[in-house]
C-alpha cells in the first residue's frame, strides 16, 4: 500500500487509543470503529481525547519514497499559500463541486477583511497577512459563505473546526 498526496488516514490507521471522557477509561479501537468518511471520523462527533494511533505504512525504496516526498512538498508550495500563516484548507469539498473553484469563480480571491484574506494562490485558504484577528477571519468566512450561496445556490461547509467565539 502506497499513500501519496490525496491519501487518507483510513488507509493507514490500524488502531487508536483514546480517553473516553464519559467513563474516564482508556479505550483502544480498530480502524473500522473509527467510522472514517471524507474529513470525518467518530472523533469529530465527540470530545474524547486521542492518546495515540498505530499506523501501518508501506515498505518501499528509500530513494523513491524521498523523491515522492520532495515532489509532494514542491506541489504543496506551488498550490498552497505556505508563505503566510493559515489554518489549512478552510472549506470542505462539496459533493458535486470543488469549493475553491467556486470561491474563485465568485471573484473572491484576494478579498479581505482587515488582515484576513482569501488567498490569491488557492481560494480555499484564508491567510493572515499581518495582524488578522479571529473576528476578521470569522467575518470573512461568513462573507464567503453568503456570496457563494447568493451567486451559486451552494452551501459550503467549514473544514476547520471553530473552538470558542472570540
Amino acid at each position: 500500500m502506497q499513500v501519496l498526496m490525496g491519501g487518507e488516514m483510513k488507509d493507514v490507521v490500524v488502531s487508536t487509543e483514546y480517553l473516553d471522557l464519559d467513563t474516564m477509561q482508556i479505550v483502544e479501537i480498530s480502524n473500522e470503529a473509527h467510522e472514517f468518511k471524507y474529513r470525518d471520523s467518530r472523533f469529530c462527533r465527540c470530545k474524547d481525547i486521542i492518546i495515540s494511533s498505530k499506523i501501518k505504512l508501506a515498505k518501499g525504496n528509500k530513494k523513491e519514497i524521498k523523491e515522492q516526498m520532495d515532489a509532494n512538498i514542491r506541489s504543496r508550495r506551488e498550490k498552497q499559500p505556505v508563505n503566510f500563516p493559515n489554518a489549512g484548507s478552510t472549506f470542505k469539498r462539496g459533493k458535486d463541486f470543488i469549493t475553491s473553484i467556486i470561491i474563485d469563480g465568485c471573484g473572491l480571491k484576494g478579498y479581505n477583511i482587515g488582515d484576513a484574506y482569501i488567498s490569491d494562490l488557492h481560494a480555499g485558504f484564508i491567510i493572515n497577512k499581518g495582524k488578522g484577528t479571529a473576528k476578521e477571519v470569522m467575518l470573512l468566512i461568513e462573507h464567503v459563505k453568503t456570496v457563494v450561496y447568493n451567486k451559486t445556490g451552494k452551501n459550503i461547509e467549514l473544514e476547520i473546526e471553530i473552538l470558542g467565539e472570540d
Side-chain angles (χ1 to χ4, degrees):
M1 166 189 6
Q2 185 176 14
V3 177
L4 305 173
M5 275 182 62
E8 298 180 51
M9 291 299 291
K10 73 175 179 62
D11 298 325
V12 296
V13 170
V14 174
S15 63
T16 294
E17 192 174 72
Y18 69 93
L19 175 63
D20 182 316
L21 290 179
D22 291 330
T23 66
M24 296 308 287
Q25 298 294 311
I26 294 178
V27 179
E28 185 172 359
I29 60 171
S30 68
N31 176 295
E32 296 77 24
H34 285 73
E35 303 169 16
F36 284 119
K37 295 178 187 154
Y38 172 70
R39 302 289 197 247
D40 188 50
S41 80
R42 70 172 302 284
F43 293 105
C44 294
R45 298 179 299 279
C46 70
K47 301 274 186 212
D48 295 335
I49 300 169
I50 295 174
I51 297 168
S52 66
S53 288
K54 293 178 188 169
I55 61 174
K56 183 173 182 171
L57 301 176
K59 290 185 180 187
N61 178 285
K62 185 177 181 178
K63 183 180 176 202
E64 290 173 7
I65 292 170
K66 175 74 168 111
E67 288 170 357
Q68 185 63 57
M69 289 171 59
D70 291 344
N72 290 350
I73 290 168
R74 277 192 307 278
S75 177
R76 186 170 283 125
R77 287 185 179 141
E78 290 169 5
K79 298 175 183 174
Q80 297 178 2
V82 297
N83 55 328
F84 288 102
N86 67 79
S89 179
T90 305
F91 302 99
K92 289 182 183 179
R93 183 181 334 133
K95 290 191 187 289
D96 61 345
F97 59 92
I98 298 172
T99 305
S100 63
I101 292 173
I102 290 198
I103 294 169
D104 187 13
C106 290
L108 291 168
K109 268 189 177 177
Y111 185 87
N112 70 295
I113 295 179
D115 276 348
Y117 283 75
I118 299 299
S119 170
D120 288 318
L121 184 60
H122 188 305
F125 285 72
I126 293 179
I127 60 174
N128 187 338
K129 284 194 175 180
K131 296 185 180 189
T133 65
K135 183 176 183 175
E136 290 169 347
V137 170
M138 294 304 299
L139 289 170
L140 184 54
I141 287 169
E142 289 309 313
H143 178 75
V144 169
K145 289 169 80 173
T146 299
V147 169
V148 166
Y149 182 77
N150 289 342
K151 288 189 173 189
T152 69
K154 305 278 187 192
N155 283 310
I156 58 176
E157 296 179 51
L158 287 178
E159 177 143 356
I160 59 173
E161 186 174 338
I162 307 299
L163 302 174
E165 297 177 25
D166 296 320

